[in-house]
Amino acid sequence: MKGIARKYAAFIRQPDVRALLLTSLVTRMPVGMVGFAMLMFMRESLGSFALAGSAVGINFVAMAIAAPIQGRLIDRVGPRRVLVVTGIVAPLALLCLLGAGYMRAPFATIAFFAAVAGAFATPITTLTRTVWRHMFKAEDDRRTAFSLDAVTIEVNFTLGPAIAAVILSTAGATAAFAVAIGVVVMSLLVFVASPALRHLPGGNPHAHPHMLGPLSDSRLLRVFATTFGLTVCFGLLEVGYPAYGTALAAPALGGLLLSVNSLGSALGGALYGGLQFRVPVERQFAAAMGLMAIPLFLHAMVDATWLFAIVAFFAGALIAPSIAAQSVLVSRLAPARHATEAFTWSSTFIVSGLGAGMATGGWLVETVGLKFAFVAGGVLVAAMAALALTIPAAAEPAPASAD
């Protein structure tokens, strides 16, 4: 543990690292707040969880579709113009969504504003990952950076909904959503004032000689396919834990299990980033997913709540390492000229996988039973580990390329 602490101390002492880690923690707060606050506000306004969920789903689908377009624009013209446009349009669309819900507007109007807000969502999470890619040449430094990045996201997913829930219980759903919109604006201002933009290239009009950009690389396609399958498993857990709590007539238990899972992920990510590995990151990625299959299968074999919580913790402990290894692979395989678009494609596959996993998980729970959802997750993540083994392993970490 002392070696891990020394490694993190040395890493954080590097120029701008401490400031950027704090920036990433603060500016990702909307990730955990907006979706939950929007869902509860729409539930109150529309009187239906189904319609509220549809509105949030439309927002996420629009975000997933638009992300690669934003990424290509950033690679071509630089981040500043994209940040200005999204920083204006997204908060205005969210405010219009707030007003439409408050005025009980037709669902078509709400769906339109939800889609616009998603399509113009500020790409801070993607840009943060791109910053780490450009800041560090050594793959070990990138692995540490992406591990800490994954940890900050887990913290956001824990704190964001908790803050929104406190506002919801004290001031109501409208106030919770309004505060979430304010946090979106605040996060943009903090990001622009941080050192992040100094580490991002200004743009290259000839960044994408190939129409498909990063998708023209077969290795990246395999990484993205594996990412989709992996995050489908995450979506199954997002449904499985609340379903487990509901089956025990203790709905709050589902939220507790999700928190335990997130805690495991944060600790697993911190440990992964501080260790030294001799095997290439391609094999680390496969190993993390292969090991994740074990606790996923165990979910279907244990009944005692305390054992179920322990299994949830160990399943979570492999989430951040797998995402960190995936980010290192994207940063290695994507040339600098379309690094941002590569990370936006990564986000698209992550968001799409989560949505598909939640939809599939709900269907599995309703039709064939709760335990089968966890078994399906175990089978799928094991298959993704096998797919990751087909990604050629580099004998030496490839240097950062400006081609």
Side-chain angles (χ1 to χ4, degrees):
M1 295 301 291
K2 289 183 179 179
I4 294 175
R6 282 195 297 269
K7 181 178 180 181
Y8 276 123
F11 179 78
I12 291 172
R13 282 197 298 268
Q14 297 185 69
D16 289 340
V17 168
R18 186 182 288 106
L20 287 171
L21 284 172
L22 181 59
T23 298
S24 69
L25 181 63
V26 173
T27 57
R28 262 90 166 268
M29 197 59 70
V31 172
M33 287 188 71
V34 173
F36 175 72
M38 184 190 300
L39 177 70
M40 301 312 294
F41 171 72
M42 287 297 151
R43 165 64 181 85
E44 185 177 275
S45 300
L46 300 172
S48 165
F49 259 122
L51 289 176
S54 296
V56 176
I58 289 168
N59 178 261
F60 274 79
V61 168
M63 194 184 306
I65 293 172
I69 300 172
Q70 289 187 11
R72 180 161 295 197
L73 285 171
I74 291 169
D75 286 332
R76 285 183 177 273
V77 304
R80 293 182 183 275
R81 283 188 248 178
V82 176
L83 284 172
V84 168
V85 173
T86 58
I88 293 171
V89 176
L92 286 177
L94 289 170
L95 284 172
C96 290
L97 186 60
L98 178 68
Y102 188 78
M103 298 297 293
R104 303 294 195 271
F107 182 75
T109 303
I110 287 171
F112 172 77
F113 288 125
V116 173
F120 286 87
T122 309
I124 288 177
T125 295
T126 296
L127 286 175
T128 301
R129 290 188 174 128
T130 309
V131 166
W132 297 129
R133 185 253 187 257
H134 287 293
M135 276 185 69
F136 300 109
K137 308 300 182 186
E139 190 163 283
D140 191 57
D141 280 336
R142 286 182 180 177
R143 184 167 60 82
T144 301
F146 286 125
S147 296
L148 290 175
D149 189 77
V151 170
T152 62
I153 290 178
E154 290 298 339
V155 173
N156 288 139
F157 272 117
T158 302
L159 287 182
I163 293 170
V166 169
I167 300 171
L168 179 69
S169 63
T170 55
T174 302
F177 191 33
V179 170
I181 296 170
V183 171
V184 170
V185 177
M186 177 273 297
S187 68
L188 174 65
L189 297 176
V190 171
F191 186 81
V192 171
S194 76
L197 292 179
R198 295 205 303 265
H199 296 281
L200 291 168
N204 177 3
H206 308 291
H208 297 275
H210 196 289
M211 185 180 69
L212 294 178
L215 295 185
S216 60
D217 189 314
S218 63
R219 297 167 301 171
L220 268 175
L221 279 177
R222 272 179 276 184
V223 172
F224 291 149
T226 305
T227 301
F228 179 81
L230 172 65
T231 52
V232 167
C233 296
F234 298 168
L236 291 172
L237 293 178
E238 289 288 327
V239 172
Y241 292 144
Y244 176 83
T246 301
L248 295 179
L253 180 59
L256 179 61
L257 289 169
L258 287 171
S259 296
V260 168
N261 185 260
S262 293
L263 175 61
S265 180
L267 293 176
L271 183 63
Y272 176 71
L275 292 174
Q276 298 284 349
F277 294 94
R278 294 182 179 180
V279 297
V281 70
E282 291 88 352
R283 301 300 171 253
Q284 296 170 31
F285 186 38
M289 290 187 290
L291 290 172
M292 193 186 300
I294 298 172
L296 281 171
F297 285 127
L298 287 176
H299 280 90
M301 301 178 187
V302 299
D303 293 316
T305 301
W306 66 274
L307 278 176
F308 201 87
I310 291 173
V311 172
F313 175 87
F314 282 105
L318 293 156
I319 289 177
S322 63
I323 291 297
Q326 185 265 4
S327 296
V328 173
L329 282 173
V330 174
S331 71
R332 175 201 288 177
L333 297 174
R337 66 175 181 265
H338 49 201
T340 307
E341 185 182 345
F343 279 113
T344 52
W345 274 113
S346 178
S347 296
T348 292
F349 281 98
I350 289 172
V351 172
S352 301
L354 282 170
M358 293 177 73
T360 303
W363 180 81
L364 288 173
V365 168
E366 291 290 336
T367 57
V368 295
L370 170 63
K371 291 188 175 183
F372 192 82
F374 292 111
V375 171
V379 171
L380 181 57
V381 79
M384 293 303 100
L387 177 59
L389 288 174
T390 70
I391 303 170
E396 295 285 341
S401 171
D403 59 352

